[in-house]
Structure formats: C-alpha cells, structure tokens
C-alpha cells in the first residue's frame, strides 16, 4: 500500500508546482526531484522488512525543510510561497500529531471532526 | 486547481503516515491497551492532523473547494469519525469483535482518503520537472 502511495505523492507534488505556471524555477524542480532517491530508499526498506513508520517520518521530515526553503525564498512568485505555506501547515500538523501519538495514548485528543 | 492538487498532496501524505502507523508499534506507549490500540490511535491522530490543517486553511481562505470536492472531503471526515468512535470503543473494551469493527472502520477511512486522491489523477510528473 505504501509503495502504491509514494509515487502519487511525488507526482502530485511535482504537478502542483507545475500548475503554478510555466516558470517553475529549476531550483524548486531540482529540490523536489532530489526527494526521489529518498522515496526509493523508503520503498526498498519497507520491502526488506524495515520500519515503515520510521522511514515514512524520515521522508516527511525531508520534505519539510525543502518546502520551508521555498517558503522563505522571497524572490519567488507569491504563488509558490503560498503553496509552500499551505503544504508546510499540513505536514507540520501531521508530524506534530504523529510525534504526540508516540508519546502517550490520550483518548481526549482523538476527537470527531465537524 | 493548484490548491486542489495541493490538498491531494496533503491527503496522500496523511494516508502514507496513516498506513505506516498500522504496522506494529515497536515499544509500548503509555496508556496503550496493546500494540494494535496504539497503532490505530497513531494512524487516526495523523489523519486528524491532516484534516485539521486542511480545515484551518479552508477557513483562512487559502484553499477553496468545489461542491464535489467538499462532498468528498466531508465523506472522508465522516469515515474518520466512524473510525475514531470505533477506536474509543476498542480502547475501552479491547476484544476481537471491537477490533474487527475498528479495523473495518479504519480501512474505510483510508478508502475515502484514496477516493479523494484518485479522483484527480495528476499529469505525469515528468512534465512538471521539464519546466
């Protein structure tokens, strides 16, 4: 299942960048492309019976600095910065929750969504 | 359109984490009933994080959804809520029947995640990298 999802994740990431216009800075494309080997390593580790949770978190933590770098680059089109801000929000929250969930099981923190 | 894909990215991220969290937890976590209880909790907390962040961005006007997207997102939230409720039941009374209910609910939530993602297949990644 993880293997099936990693590809779409990167594909979506790249296509999202592309959709912001024809002038996708090469530095951003390169930055994201560098994540591919990380993903391939993740898939290989999982196939070999490694720890998928740890590896998954690793890749998310790899994604985050890259996104934050884009977010901090004021020379970019505001659309890129906005995109990076949004993705940063979600990744940060997911990682925050994930880390918290590994610390203690607290039923009051798991609540319905409206 | 870009923000739709952004949401897809975010949901896939949450799904990846959620799926990973269904694996056995390596060490006991304070408060857990057992490893299954902990892994389900972790996966649901991850899903919750993705939903919360998306809702926040929606409320802030950073993301806009079409009616169809809203329906799909609402369907996912509903499935998450069923899984969350099932976890609460299992956490309070860990038995085979409740475990089966929780597993089914969790998988259903993941399916809703996947439905949202696959509803919009992005262009080939190669096209993006060539620009």
């Amino acid at each position: 299942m993880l293997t099936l999802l990693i590809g779409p994740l990167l594909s979506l990431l790249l296509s999202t960048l592309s959709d912001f216009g024809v002038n996708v800075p090469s530095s951003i494309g390169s930055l994201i492309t560098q994540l591919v080997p990380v993903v391939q390593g993740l898939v290989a580790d999982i196939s070999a019976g490694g720890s998928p949770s740890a590896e998954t978190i690793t890749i998310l933590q790899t994604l985050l600095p890259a996104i934050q770098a884009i977010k901090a680059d004021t020379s970019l089109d505001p659309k890129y910065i906005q995109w990076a801000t949004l993705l940063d929000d979600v990744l940060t929250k997911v990682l925050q929750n994930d880390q918290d969930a590994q610390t203690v099981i607290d039923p009051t923190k798991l609540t319905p969504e409206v | 359109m870009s923000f739709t894909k952004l949401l897809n990215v975010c949901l896939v991220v949450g799904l990846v984490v959620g799926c990973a969290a269904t694996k056995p937890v390596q060490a006991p976590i304070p408060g857990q009933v057992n490893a299954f209880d902990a892994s389900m909790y972790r996966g649901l907390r991850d899903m919750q994080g993705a939903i919360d962040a998306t809702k926040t961005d929606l409320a802030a006007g950073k993301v806009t959804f079409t009616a169809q997207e809203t329906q799909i997102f609402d369907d996912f939230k509903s499935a998450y809520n069923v899984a969350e409720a099932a976890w609460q039941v299992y956490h309070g009374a860990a038995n085979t029947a409740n475990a089966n209910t929780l597993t089914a609910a969790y998988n259903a939530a993941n399916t809703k995640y996947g439905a949202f993602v696959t509803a919009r297949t992005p262009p080939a990644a190669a096209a993006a990298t060539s620009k």
Side-chain angles (χ1 to χ4, degrees):
Chain A
M1 187 63 173
L2 269 174
T3 305
L4 294 174
L5 292 170
I6 295 300
L9 170 62
L10 279 191
S11 182
L12 285 163
L13 201 58
L14 290 167
S15 63
T16 300
L17 285 171
S18 176
D19 270 7
F20 275 111
V22 295
N23 298 316
V24 176
S26 59
S27 60
I28 294 180
S30 175
L31 197 60
I32 300 302
T33 302
Q34 286 175 24
L35 294 172
V36 173
V38 177
V39 174
Q40 291 172 335
L42 164 65
V43 174
D45 284 348
I46 292 170
S47 300
S51 172
S53 291
E55 295 295 339
T56 301
I57 296 306
T58 295
I59 191 174
L60 292 180
Q61 289 172 335
T62 303
L63 274 168
L64 208 51
I67 292 163
Q68 288 171 343
I70 296 171
K71 183 176 156 183
D73 190 345
T74 55
S75 68
L76 294 175
D77 186 304
K79 289 179 179 178
Y80 289 107
I81 298 173
Q82 188 179 37
W83 166 82
T85 300
L86 291 168
L87 193 53
D88 187 25
D89 289 345
V90 172
L91 284 175
T92 299
K93 186 64 177 173
V94 169
L95 286 171
Q96 182 184 13
N97 274 19
D98 189 74
Q99 189 170 34
D100 186 62
Q102 294 179 77
T103 304
V104 63
I105 305 294
D106 183 352
T108 65
K109 290 184 177 179
L110 195 59
T111 56
E113 296 286 349
V114 293
Chain B
M1 188 61 169
S2 297
F3 289 122
T4 297
K5 289 187 176 179
L6 167 66
L7 178 70
N8 289 345
V9 171
C10 298
L11 292 179
V12 172
V13 168
L15 181 54
V16 167
V17 174
C19 287
T22 63
K23 300 296 180 181
V25 177
Q26 297 296 322
I29 298 173
Q32 76 173 45
V33 173
N34 52 40
F36 175 73
D37 178 61
S39 63
M40 289 290 106
Y41 174 80
R42 183 180 174 188
L44 288 169
R45 286 296 310 280
D46 292 342
M47 286 188 195
Q48 179 188 42
I51 293 172
D52 284 348
T54 302
K55 283 167 58 180
T56 299
D57 287 349
L58 279 168
K62 295 178 180 178
V63 177
T64 55
F65 283 175
T66 65
Q68 183 183 13
E69 290 164 348
T70 299
Q71 184 61 57
I72 293 171
F73 188 57
D74 286 347
D75 286 346
F76 168 66
K77 285 190 293 183
S78 296
Y80 160 85
N81 286 340
V82 172
E84 184 272 332
W87 180 85
Q88 297 286 0
V89 171
Y90 177 82
H91 187 70
N95 56 49
T96 301
N98 288 341
N100 290 338
T101 300
L102 173 55
T103 298
Y106 188 92
N107 289 339
N110 263 345
T111 298
K112 293 297 183 183
Y113 242 146
F116 189 92
V117 172
T118 56
R120 293 167 197 78
T121 303
T129 56
S130 65
K131 292 178 180 177

